Amino acid sequence: MTSARSTLSLIGSALMGRLSDSFTSSNNNSKSNTFIVSNGRILCLYIGTLAALAGFVIDASMYSIRGMWLGMVPGALLQQNFSVFKAMLADYHEEITVLETKLEKEQGGGGGNGRTSANEPQDSSDNYNNDKDKRSESNSASEKKSSAAAARAGSVGKLGMSVGLAFMVGPFFGATMVKSYQSAVSFACCLTILSMVWIMKMPLPVSLPQSSSSITENGHGNEDNKKNENLNDSQKLWSSLKQKITNMVDVKSARTKPAVLLIVIRLCMALAFHIFNTIWTVSLKRRFNFGPKDHGKFMSYIGLLFALSQGFLAKRIIGNNRKGRVNVILCCCLFLAMCRVVAFQVNDLRVVYIMFGFIVTSLGVVNTIFTADTCLIAPSSEIGSIYGVLEASQSAAGMVGPFLGGVLAQFHPVRAPLTAVVALYAFVFILVLTSYEKLVLRQDHKKKKEV
């Protein structure tokens, strides 16, 4: 079932991510070069919420193994709201950046006209003042870039914190308060309907800068329209349909080196997670005789730490400079690898909780960094698609990881899977050390120029 869910999520995450980017209407004119974001994100949120509700309704009406399989399909395929929410946050921050830039230009233009006229000659003191203004503007731009990165990480952290809190409250509430499966499904339906009400109140970004890739696509679109004028009706229909399918599937940002690097990093970390989970649940049962209530408490503890790490720690320890962020990721990789090994070697449950405290905190921080930095490698018109591709890569790991964990466990039930986990994190460590700053973090400077 895990592999089936991952397969459906692999398809659905890429589909919904691209769909959320597809509903944008271009607005090109001589005065402004912007595109207006329509309801593509909101539409995908509605689809995902309705899919989750449909899955719960099937679960409530068919109390069987078949019903469990059928109830899994709508949510696994179409409920990709977390990725869409991350794209919405990217839109909000992009809009804030655009509005601040426009405001600075208006204020700067007014101040400049008030100081000197066009016909007055400038003396040496004026040149000195101009140089001083340029230096102050450069320092101000650097400070704003750092504050923008911190704000983006803070927003993503709060989003992850909400997921962590739900991950904490859900298992605890289910283990202590809910008495039957039917009542649990009914309560889940009520919460899903409530979430739909909150989606109705979400604001839409007004306008965002049009990327160069969008301009290029529009140019190619005009050329294609001119070519279509020489075709008959059936050929025009086929050509238009082919162009729409190509635009829907093709994500140009996903083929860039920074995107490939993030995809590989995410894939390796997800593989390590699934390989480890293959043997971890069995180990808890064997060493500590874990039951349902024990698992509920343990998952609530993980959810609490995951929420705190993303909502409070991530923004404070990431650092404003590039090197600091890279060092944080490297430290997280070390903790994720070594603490898993220690957690498997000890027979004291308190030590296991401490090790998982480091694991979950590191995972929350590094996920916040990767999610925030993803905004640097894609234009706003493709940010939903790039999040979908990243989620799809992790779903692919969910398909392959449990199988690899089972195969490795046949060679040795503990050492072989743990060796693979450490090797994967070591590979991520090397990738981040050698390429992350050069390929990902420097995209921020290029994106600022486009804006």
Side-chain angles (χ1 to χ4, degrees):
M1 178 171 280
T2 301
S3 298
R5 176 180 290 275
S6 297
T7 303
L8 292 172
S9 182
L10 171 68
I11 300 170
S13 56
L15 175 64
M16 297 302 290
R18 194 57 176 161
L19 184 63
S20 71
D21 288 334
S22 298
F23 286 85
T24 55
S25 56
S26 298
N27 177 25
N28 296 320
N29 53 52
S30 58
K31 295 181 179 180
S32 63
N33 187 21
T34 62
F35 69 86
I36 308 302
V37 177
S38 67
N39 58 351
R41 312 271 193 237
I42 299 296
L43 175 63
C44 289
L45 292 177
Y46 281 131
I47 292 174
T49 307
L50 290 173
L53 185 62
F56 290 135
V57 171
I58 294 173
D59 289 335
S61 59
M62 299 178 64
Y63 191 67
S64 62
I65 297 295
R66 182 184 179 186
M68 184 173 63
W69 275 91
L70 292 176
M72 175 197 70
V73 174
L77 183 63
L78 299 175
Q79 213 287 54
Q80 309 295 334
N81 285 6
F82 189 61
S83 297
V84 180
F85 278 128
K86 289 188 285 188
M88 287 284 287
L89 282 179
D91 290 342
Y92 292 149
H93 281 281
E94 192 75 14
E95 183 185 13
I96 292 171
T97 303
V98 171
L99 294 177
E100 288 179 348
T101 303
K102 289 181 179 179
L103 183 62
E104 287 176 1
K105 287 181 179 179
E106 291 175 359
Q107 292 176 347
N113 293 333
R115 285 188 303 190
T116 60
S117 64
N119 296 326
E120 289 179 356
Q122 293 183 347
D123 56 10
S124 59
S125 62
D126 292 330
N127 293 332
Y128 172 76
N129 290 332
N130 290 336
D131 293 339
K132 187 177 179 180
D133 290 340
K134 289 180 180 179
R135 287 195 297 270
S136 63
E137 288 176 1
S138 177
N139 294 332
S140 176
S142 178
E143 291 176 0
K144 287 177 181 177
K145 185 192 298 184
S146 299
S147 63
R152 195 164 53 238
S155 297
V156 173
K158 290 182 178 67
L159 180 63
M161 182 178 70
S162 65
V163 175
L165 290 175
F167 200 58
M168 175 190 71
V169 176
F172 178 79
F173 188 82
T176 57
M177 304 294 292
V178 178
K179 301 302 182 182
S180 66
Y181 178 76
Q182 293 294 332
S183 60
V185 173
S186 300
F187 188 66
C189 289
C190 294
L191 291 177
T192 305
I193 294 172
L194 181 62
S195 68
M196 191 178 300
V197 175
W198 285 107
I199 291 174
M200 295 178 184
K201 299 180 179 296
M202 289 186 65
L204 280 173
V206 179
S207 61
L208 297 175
Q210 187 175 21
S211 64
S212 58
S213 61
S214 298
I215 297 172
T216 303
E217 288 174 6
N218 290 333
H220 286 308
N222 293 333
E223 292 176 2
D224 291 335
N225 290 334
K226 292 179 180 178
K227 292 178 180 178
N228 289 341
E229 292 178 357
N230 299 323
L231 303 177
N232 56 38
D233 292 339
S234 61
Q235 289 175 330
K236 285 181 180 180
L237 179 63
W238 172 250
S239 178
S240 176
L241 181 61
K242 182 179 178 182
Q243 182 181 349
K244 288 181 179 180
I245 294 175
T246 302
N247 292 336
M248 186 75 177
V249 176
D250 186 23
V251 183
K252 294 180 174 60
S253 299
R255 300 199 301 266
T256 61
K257 289 183 179 180
V260 171
L261 176 67
L262 279 178
I263 290 171
V264 172
I265 290 174
R266 287 279 199 177
L267 180 63
C268 291
M269 294 182 70
L271 275 175
F273 172 82
H274 286 288
I275 291 174
F276 181 80
N277 267 8
T278 305
I279 57 176
W280 177 245
T281 305
V282 178
S283 175
L284 284 177
K285 178 68 176 178
R286 176 177 53 83
R287 288 185 294 166
F288 307 110
N289 195 26
F290 252 45
K293 289 188 176 181
D294 296 316
H295 276 289
K297 294 176 182 178
F298 188 65
M299 299 307 289
S300 297
Y301 168 75
I302 290 176
L304 175 63
L305 290 180
F306 198 65
L308 294 175
S309 64
Q310 295 195 87
F312 296 101
L313 289 180
K315 185 178 179 179
R316 289 167 173 79
I317 70 175
I318 281 175
N320 290 330
N321 58 352
R322 298 171 183 169
K323 202 66 179 177
R325 300 178 79 138
V326 172
N327 290 336
V328 169
I329 298 174
L330 294 177
C331 291
C332 289
C333 289
L334 291 176
F335 280 122
L336 287 169
M338 294 298 101
C339 291
R340 291 181 192 274
V341 176
V342 175
F344 241 103
Q345 304 301 323
V346 297
N347 290 317
D348 190 343
L349 189 58
R350 291 172 297 181
V351 179
V352 172
Y353 268 81
I354 293 173
M355 290 298 103
F356 261 80
F358 286 110
I359 291 171
V360 175
T361 302
S362 300
L363 194 61
V365 170
V366 78
N367 278 342
T368 302
I369 295 175
F370 288 150
T371 302
D373 289 345
T374 302
C375 301
L376 307 177
I377 67 173
S380 300
S381 58
E382 292 187 356
I383 192 66
S385 301
I386 205 71
Y387 279 127
V389 171
L390 289 172
E391 292 293 332
S393 66
Q394 295 182 85
S395 299
M399 295 166 52
V400 181
F403 173 76
L404 287 178
V407 171
L408 291 170
Q410 293 181 355
F411 294 95
H412 192 280
V414 176
R415 291 180 184 175
L418 281 182
T419 302
V421 169
V422 173
L424 286 168
Y425 280 119
F427 181 60
V428 172
F429 186 94
I430 294 172
L431 287 178
V432 172
L433 181 64
T434 58
S435 304
Y436 194 82
E437 181 181 359
K438 177 177 65 176
L439 293 180
V440 177
L441 296 183
R442 291 182 184 176
Q443 298 298 315
D444 193 21
H445 180 66
K446 297 179 181 178
K447 201 167 186 180
K448 293 288 182 182
K449 284 185 176 181
E450 292 181 1
V451 173

